[in-house]
Amino acid sequence: MNKFILVLLLIPILLLTKTVKSQEVKVFFYYAPFYTPGTGVYVETYLSFSGPSMYYRLNKDNVYQAVAEVTMLFKNANEVVEFRNFKVSSLGLPDTSSLLPDFINQNRIVIPEGIYNFEMVVKDINAPDSVKPFVHSELVSVDIASDEIAFSGIKLVEIYEATNKQNIFVKNGFECIPYVSEVFPPQANYLRFYAELYNAAKTLGPLNECLIQIDIENINTGKPIKEFSSSQKQKAQNINVVYKE
């Protein structure tokens, strides 16, 4: 049996914050590159807005709602390769005296392979004019080989279930609601992730099997934590789904 070993390292999730007088708006962000035959590479971006940190106002339906405006730029040198501007709204609430739940956003952006200067501006639409928008930038790498074994990015998952629905969260017949936070709290019983293995059939042959080793490493020692190590044996396909909790 041909073996290909994958050590999955959990990607860091970036905590974005800004201070608004006595209130701090919190936005959690990370991204993961993927590949689809016929379409090519694309980037999924994941955002979570901390409900208690947002301003809420009555909307036309007479419920309280928070709204964030997000602008994303992918730049190659001084050229803007991809641009996104959109609004993300919370659930409508009868009042703001009770729990203000977090709300999330996921985007799927088709983009050529490369390394980009990524810039993002997040504005709280309901905040006073004196509140400046949050500005963030980082290098985003989109690089998935088309002719050899390669892996997608890692998507942390809140909910994973088979579905016939079609929406932004569905991948290969499964609805994957992203987990977007900087921490796993003590009451969290599971750590779930989704990833994809590409070109195994092309490289190993469609009748062969591949063994995928999954580890969580101790950041201090760089060694796998034994009680969280496991492996999956799969038939080699053009796209192998790697899901684990």
Side-chain angles (χ1 to χ4, degrees), residues 68-79:
E69 181 182 41
V70 181
T71 302
M72 294 180 176
L73 293 174
F74 292 82
K75 301 170 74 172
N76 188 344
N78 293 322
E79 178 188 2

Side-chain angles (χ1 to χ4, degrees), residues 47-65:
L47 286 164
S48 177
F49 304 86
S50 172
S53 73
M54 304 292 292
Y55 284 85
Y56 288 74
R57 288 184 181 173
L58 281 173
N59 63 15
K60 62 181 180 179
D61 298 317
N62 205 36
V63 292
Y64 288 89
Q65 194 169 44

Side-chain angles (χ1 to χ4, degrees), residues 35 40 70 75 104 130 162-164 169 184 188 207 210 212 233:
Y35 171 82
V70 181
K75 301 170 74 172
I104 65 170
S130 59
T163 183
N164 292 321
F169 301 116
F184 285 85
L207 299 180
C210 55
I212 303 170
K233 184 167 66 175

Side-chain angles (χ1 to χ4, degrees), residues 170-210:
V170 174
K171 298 174 73 66
N172 294 305
F174 290 89
E175 187 169 41
C176 303
I177 307 299
Y179 181 86
V180 194
S181 175
E182 65 170 348
V183 298
F184 285 85
Q187 64 270 25
N189 295 318
Y190 296 95
L191 184 155
R192 304 178 178 96
F193 72 87
Y194 174 97
E196 294 175 351
L197 165 66
Y198 305 116
N199 307 318
K202 182 188 296 186
T203 304
L204 305 177
L207 299 180
N208 285 314
E209 294 179 328
C210 55

